[in-house]
Amino acid sequence: YKSVPEDAEKIGKIIKELQKNYDIRRIPGFYISENSTVRMVAPRGFFIPVRNREGKIASLLIRTEIKDAKYIFFSKSTFGGAKAWNIVHYTTPLEPGIEELFVTEGILKADVAYYLSGGKPFISVNGVGMWKHIADEIEYLKPRKVYICFDMDMYENKNVLESVKNLYERIKTKTKAEVLKWDRRYKGIDDYLLARRLATVKVQAGKQ
């Protein structure tokens, strides 16, 4: 996690460092301008690493300050640069045969939930419509049990509810599956885990 650089000099140093070992044209977020200059343009915000099965960063998502575009991929494919791939994100490297697996929607949400849960293995996607990709990873990982942790607004959001149903139907014959539900005051699994953590802290403080 890093803030998106805004200083031109700092961006220039990053580009020069990358060019020492990599073909900049193959790195999402950079492109060659009309005057053959390498450029990087991104909105203000911070980078969120999207990691693959091995824990390697495969793409960068940006949490922006734009009201109608909170999350965008670091990519300049429209300018001829490399495309950023919207892959399934792993909070920790995993191999087939794991005991349990938690799945959710949202890269940042998964990372926060992984931390607040004490290291429970989460995988996630950037958009509920990518449930098929989650199902593919579940079939690869072959966990003994899967916990589906999509947002509690599924009761109001038909797209979320449909994705939950489709995912459950696809995997229920291959592994034990459960749709987790929690207090609907907390939209996401990360919100719920944080509230539970804060409640525990308050109880412990009251005992002192």
Side-chain angles (χ1 to χ4, degrees):
Y1 285 79
K2 292 286 185 180
S3 296
V4 176
E6 298 181 51
D7 181 71
E9 184 177 349
K10 187 173 184 179
I11 292 173
K13 289 181 179 179
I14 292 172
I15 290 173
K16 286 183 179 179
E17 193 65 29
L18 287 172
Q19 286 181 309
K20 290 180 181 178
N21 300 300
Y22 305 100
D23 181 354
I24 204 81
R25 295 169 299 179
R26 302 183 66 182
I27 302 177
F30 300 91
Y31 70 99
I32 310 297
S33 67
E34 292 181 355
N35 61 359
S36 300
T37 302
V38 178
R39 296 194 179 278
M40 184 200 98
V41 181
R44 180 177 296 177
F46 61 88
F47 288 121
I48 301 170
V50 183
R51 299 180 183 275
N52 61 19
R53 296 170 182 170
E54 292 77 37
K56 297 178 180 179
I57 297 175
S59 291
L60 289 174
L61 195 66
I62 301 175
R63 174 61 167 91
T64 76
E65 297 178 5
I66 304 171
K67 184 178 180 180
D68 298 324
K70 289 172 61 176
Y71 295 96
I72 64 171
F73 277 98
F74 182 49
S75 174
K76 280 298 167 191
S77 58
T78 53
F79 290 84
K83 179 182 178 180
W85 293 102
N86 189 4
I87 67 166
V88 174
H89 169 64
Y90 280 65
T91 55
T92 187
L94 297 173
E95 294 185 357
I98 58 176
E99 187 67 27
E100 60 181 5
L101 180 67
F102 296 76
V103 302
T104 190
E105 183 273 325
I107 312 304
L108 178 59
K109 181 182 301 175
D111 281 350
V112 172
Y114 169 74
Y115 172 76
L116 292 175
S117 65
K120 296 289 186 182
F122 275 80
I123 62 174
S124 65
V125 286
N126 185 50
V128 293
M130 290 187 63
W131 65 267
K132 291 181 181 179
H133 297 273
I134 285 281
D136 290 340
E137 294 304 305
I138 290 172
E139 291 176 2
Y140 164 76
L141 290 170
K142 298 178 175 60
R144 292 185 178 225
K145 187 165 184 178
V146 174
Y147 297 92
I148 302 173
C149 312
F150 280 28
D151 287 356
M152 291 301 288
D153 68 347
M154 62 180 164
Y155 296 105
E156 294 84 31
N157 190 322
K158 292 182 179 179
N159 291 330
V160 177
L161 183 59
E162 191 69 20
S163 293
V164 170
K165 288 180 177 179
N166 289 335
L167 177 58
Y168 180 81
E169 288 298 319
R170 164 103 177 250
I171 67 174
K172 69 178 184 180
T173 59
K174 300 177 176 66
T175 183
K176 291 181 180 179
E178 180 181 348
V179 178
L180 287 189
K181 300 175 184 178
W182 51 88
D183 190 328
R184 290 169 66 174
R185 289 178 298 171
Y186 309 106
K187 181 182 177 183
I189 184 65
D190 55 336
D191 301 319
Y192 172 69
L193 290 174
L194 178 59
R196 194 172 68 173
R197 171 74 67 89
L198 292 175
T200 302
V201 171
K202 288 181 181 179
V203 170
Q204 291 177 343
K207 292 181 179 179
Q208 294 180 357

